Amino acid sequence: QVQLAESGGGLVHAGGSLRLSCAASGITFKDYAMAWFRQAPGKEREFVAGISAGGGVRSIADSLKGRVSISRDYVKSTTDLQMNKLKLEDTAVYYCAARPVTISKSVEEYVGWGQGTQVTVSS
């Protein structure tokens, strides 16, 4: 009964920034790696960023390095995705996901998913 809830999506102009948040419940937060994926229309869901259960390891998709960072708060049980210098191609539904301990870039490895939050980047 993993429950994840994303927030912070919206419409932003190209070059702008956005911070997404994921609130987790139904799990022992400190025992789960957390990740963000995104899915654009007509495309498969793709890995954006992940952070290990202990917070000691972070992984960012190669195409997003330098523009994206991920962090977690063990008091609030939240995981944030900071996105900067947004581009039109960043437009997608962004999903939060959880799995035990370690980061994976594979959708199939995650045991819990949020409902998604829409990010739209305009020209």
Side-chain angles (χ1 to χ4, degrees), residues 18-22 36-37 48-50 60 68-71 79-83 94:
L18 212 56
R19 188 175 185 178
L20 308 182
S21 293
C22 172
W36 287 91
F37 289 77
V48 174
I60 307 294
V68 166
S69 64
I70 188 168
S71 61
T79 307
D80 288 2
L81 181 73
Q82 177 69 46
M83 299 189 290
Y94 284 71

Side-chain angles (χ1 to χ4, degrees), residues 14-88:
S17 298
L18 212 56
R19 188 175 185 178
L20 308 182
S21 293
C22 172
S25 61
I27 58 171
T28 302
F29 185 67
K30 68 176 180 62
D31 294 338
Y32 284 79
M34 303 296 298
W36 287 91
F37 289 77
R38 68 184 183 184
Q39 188 165 25
K43 294 188 175 182
E44 293 186 6
R45 195 166 298 188
E46 67 173 349
F47 178 81
V48 174
I51 185 167
S52 62
V57 180
R58 291 173 168 84
S59 182
I60 307 294
D62 289 342
S63 64
L64 294 170
K65 288 180 179 177
R67 297 198 295 121
V68 166
S69 64
I70 188 168
S71 61
R72 64 192 297 164
D73 187 324
Y74 295 94
V75 175
K76 298 179 180 179
S77 294
T78 56
T79 307
D80 288 2
L81 181 73
Q82 177 69 46
M83 299 189 290
N84 304 315
K85 301 181 71 175
L86 286 161
K87 305 174 180 179
L88 264 57

Side-chain angles (χ1 to χ4, degrees), residues 19 27 105-106 117:
R19 188 175 185 178
I27 58 171
K105 295 182 179 180
S106 300
T117 186

Side-chain angles (χ1 to χ4, degrees), residues 76-121:
K76 298 179 180 179
S77 294
T78 56
T79 307
D80 288 2
L81 181 73
Q82 177 69 46
M83 299 189 290
N84 304 315
K85 301 181 71 175
L86 286 161
K87 305 174 180 179
L88 264 57
E89 50 262 48
D90 293 322
T91 295
V93 177
Y94 284 71
Y95 297 91
C96 177
R99 73 178 304 276
V101 185
T102 56
I103 301 163
S104 173
K105 295 182 179 180
S106 300
V107 169
E108 293 80 9
E109 294 296 319
Y110 287 81
V111 297
W113 292 88
Q115 80 288 343
T117 186
Q118 177 72 48
V119 171
T120 302
V121 183

